Amino acid sequence: MGYLEGFAVTFKKLGEERVTGEYKAGGEGEKRDKPERFHGRHVLNRYEDGMEKCIGCELCAGVCPARCIYVRGADNEPANPVSPGERYGYVYEINYLRCIHCDLCVEACPTQAITESKLFEFSFTNRQDAIYTKDELVVGDDGMPQKLPWEDWREGDDALTSGWMRATSPGGSVAYENTVAWSGELGYGVRPAEQGQVGETAHPAGDVAPDQQAHDAHDGGH
Ligand code: SF4
Ligand code: SF4
């Protein structure tokens, strides 16, 4: 095809109906609501009294398949602790040029210090902005994620960022239903357990956890 035929195709296409919508909230092309468990940009949470939840254990960095978390812990000063316990996250960085938002860091964290918001609309013009520091990841004094200049926050993106998805066991045992396994958070308090997972997946034995049932079956009840 010569270039004149190429231009002809282009001009022909200009007259056709567009099939893509505008990328904005509201009106034509409105975006769908995000799922409750949507994995967006991370936050580092604080307890209700303002103390940081991160204890600098580096489990999140160890489990990250993309190797994009860098953590260094330091001892708390007894007179002026940053977190409860002995240590806190002194350095904390996430490289968003690498993160695949798998949430394994969230699963690994023993204190629910790291969780995810629903923000995914952010882009960078330099490498430094893409590497989020602790100062940028820690929630503000109102418990909400900080909103950085290169991020496009939408309504609800900063809501319900707490760790909350472990109210039931993977086996769906009713023994764990409504049992909150997480601590309270600045701005949110203690989040209620997820409801409505008792059903076909629930174990009829009720109060007996699946791993205990397996154990009992294995040793014949002795
Ligand atoms: S979401 Fe996955 S890839 Fe991203 S920092 Fe956490 S563990 Fe790493
Ligand atoms: S975010 Fe959680 S897993 Fe990572 S260093 Fe802090 S306490 Fe440990």
Side-chain angles (χ1 to χ4, degrees), residues 42 60 63-66 68-69 94 99-105 116:
H42 300 83
C60 52
V63 78
C64 177
C68 60
I69 301 181
I94 298 179
C99 178
I100 56 174
H101 294 278
C102 63
D103 247 9
L104 286 177
C105 51
E116 294 198 352

Side-chain angles (χ1 to χ4, degrees), residues 8-146:
V9 171
T10 302
F11 283 116
K12 190 175 162 203
K13 289 288 175 189
L14 283 177
E16 291 183 4
E17 186 185 355
R18 293 185 187 180
V19 294
T20 52
E22 280 191 57
Y23 187 68
K24 64 178 184 182
E28 194 182 348
E30 187 173 0
K31 286 189 271 186
R32 289 180 295 175
D33 291 337
K34 293 169 186 141
E36 261 185 305
R37 298 180 181 181
F38 187 91
H39 297 175
R41 192 266 269 177
H42 300 83
V43 292
L44 287 175
N45 296 300
R46 295 160 64 185
Y47 291 103
E48 289 161 298
D49 63 2
M51 298 272 262
E52 292 180 9
K53 288 191 167 188
C54 179
I55 54 173
C57 69
E58 301 181 29
L59 285 175
C60 52
V63 78
C64 177
R67 290 282 176 265
C68 60
I69 301 181
Y70 179 78
V71 186
R72 280 288 168 270
D75 290 343
N76 271 311
E77 288 179 32
N80 189 27
V82 177
S83 70
E86 287 181 22
R87 290 170 68 76
Y88 71 104
Y90 171 61
V91 176
Y92 200 103
E93 292 180 355
I94 298 179
N95 184 345
Y96 281 104
L97 296 173
R98 291 188 180 182
C99 178
I100 56 174
H101 294 278
C102 63
D103 247 9
L104 286 177
C105 51
V106 177
E107 289 295 322
C109 182
T111 62
Q112 296 100 47
I114 185 166
T115 56
E116 294 198 352
S117 70
K118 294 175 181 57
L119 171 76
F120 75 97
E121 290 153 288
F122 53 119
S123 59
F124 323 101
T125 54
N126 63 74
R127 180 180 171 79
Q128 206 53 46
D129 287 350
I131 300 172
Y132 277 50
T133 63
K134 178 183 158 180
D135 284 347
E136 294 166 334
L137 291 166
V138 172
V139 295
D141 290 339
D142 57 358
M144 300 298 148
Q146 298 182 54

